[in-house]
Amino acid sequence: MEVGAVASMRYVRDGIKAARLVMQYTQHTMLVGEQASIFAISMGLPGPTNLSSTESLEKWAKWKESNCQPNFRKDVSPADSCGPYHPEHALASGKITCSMANLDGLNESRPFIDRRNHDTIAMAVIDTMGHIAAGTSTNGATFKIPGRVGDGPIAGSSAYADAEVGACGATGDGDIMMRFLPCYQVVESMRRGMQPELAAKDAISRIANKYPDFTGAVFAVNKDGAHAGACHGWTFQYSVRNPGMDDVEVFTVLP
């Protein structure tokens, strides 16, 4: 139950190190934005650093040339441009109309969430004393709306650990997955006696039942080292290493 997180942090390369500093040297759980960057640099991390690369700048330029398509906006006008955007149902007076939620949106396809456009790394470690730690680091979703925070820094969503039970890590469409806290669900299911495989499949199926087109995966490991994974919308791989192994072993999980 010791947690540290940062989000929307610019100019500092090692977000996961900054998150650990929050856990070690503050009584807070999460710092965000410019103040997170200032904190991280003040605690000794290198910065401010320009984190743009030639590749990322080229990708961004091509995206702008394509009228900022695809993006994560919905029900806005103009839909096929780089904005500025306005609610699609705005009245001429400038007031906004309210309507019932579009339930069909639950099944809306999000085709640009895949392994090629996000870079989440989640990891769980069990030491020789039985302590368990879990962590996640990510740049988030490509072409996200500025200010967006995904599941990476949300305890219980992208990672969760309890030394009495085990741990979990997750990756995929974080905007959807964080609504379900899948890693919290996995650990609590194992606490109630589920084996890692069943706990992982149960957490993924809860999301898929509401969002059939979502893409994501989790891995689960209990305190004894038994592990498994589950996924939806893609073929997922995770790696394992323990003292009895000569090298890392990669496990492939089918949807």
Side-chain angles (χ1 to χ4, degrees), residues 2-5 18-31 39-40 43:
E2 290 185 275
V3 180
R20 184 176 175 86
L21 290 172
V22 173
M23 182 182 72
Q24 290 179 308
Y25 297 108
T26 82
Q27 296 182 41
H28 300 312
T29 295
M30 183 189 298
L31 298 180
F39 168 80
M43 297 301 290

Side-chain angles (χ1 to χ4, degrees), residues 1-249:
M1 298 300 107
E2 290 185 275
V3 180
V6 292
S8 219
M9 184 182 69
R10 297 180 172 184
Y11 310 121
V12 177
R13 181 182 180 90
D14 298 313
I16 194 71
K17 291 184 178 180
R20 184 176 175 86
L21 290 172
V22 173
M23 182 182 72
Q24 290 179 308
Y25 297 108
T26 82
Q27 296 182 41
H28 300 312
T29 295
M30 183 189 298
L31 298 180
V32 302
E34 180 183 2
Q35 294 302 320
S37 302
I38 292 173
F39 168 80
I41 294 169
S42 73
M43 297 301 290
L45 294 186
T49 302
N50 183 351
L51 302 181
S52 296
S53 66
T54 300
E55 179 184 2
S56 67
L57 290 172
E58 290 177 352
K59 183 183 294 186
W60 179 81
K62 290 180 180 178
W63 178 70
K64 294 283 284 187
E65 292 173 0
S66 300
N67 293 322
C68 301
Q69 303 297 315
N71 62 48
F72 286 86
R73 300 182 188 271
K74 66 178 184 180
D75 298 331
V76 297
S77 180
D80 56 350
S81 79
C82 294
Y85 302 98
H86 307 284
E88 193 172 55
H89 303 296
L91 297 178
S93 63
K95 296 181 180 180
I96 307 302
T97 60
C98 296
S99 61
M100 295 295 290
N102 178 10
L103 297 182
D104 290 337
L106 292 179
N107 298 323
E108 182 180 350
S109 177
R110 299 161 68 89
F112 47 95
I113 297 292
D114 61 29
R115 288 168 292 184
R116 295 177 293 277
N117 61 17
H118 81 304
D119 59 356
T120 305
I121 297 294
M123 184 179 293
V125 180
I126 307 174
D127 71 10
T128 57
M129 300 296 292
H131 302 131
I132 303 178
T136 302
S137 183
T138 180
N139 274 328
T142 303
F143 310 135
K144 58 184 176 282
I145 298 172
R148 178 258 190 187
V149 174
D151 63 330
I154 307 302
S157 186
S158 69
Y160 200 66
D162 187 328
E164 296 178 355
V165 182
C168 167
T171 184
D173 190 342
D175 289 294
I176 298 299
M177 298 180 76
M178 68 193 295
R179 304 171 191 180
F180 296 82
L181 296 179
C183 277
Y184 176 81
Q185 181 68 54
V186 165
V187 172
E188 290 306 301
S189 293
M190 292 193 295
R191 190 191 307 278
R192 297 197 306 271
M194 281 191 187
Q195 292 300 307
E197 182 177 6
L198 182 57
K201 289 181 176 178
D202 174 71
I204 288 294
S205 68
R206 289 169 184 259
I207 307 173
N209 286 340
K210 297 289 186 180
Y211 293 91
D213 294 325
F214 103 98
T215 300
V218 300
F219 70 80
V221 57
N222 66 21
K223 64 181 181 180
D224 299 318
H227 58 85
C231 59
H232 184 86
W234 61 12
T235 297
F236 173 62
Q237 291 184 315
Y238 69 97
S239 60
V240 176
R241 178 73 184 267
N242 65 44
M245 299 168 61
D246 294 329
D247 200 356
V248 170
E249 183 174 356

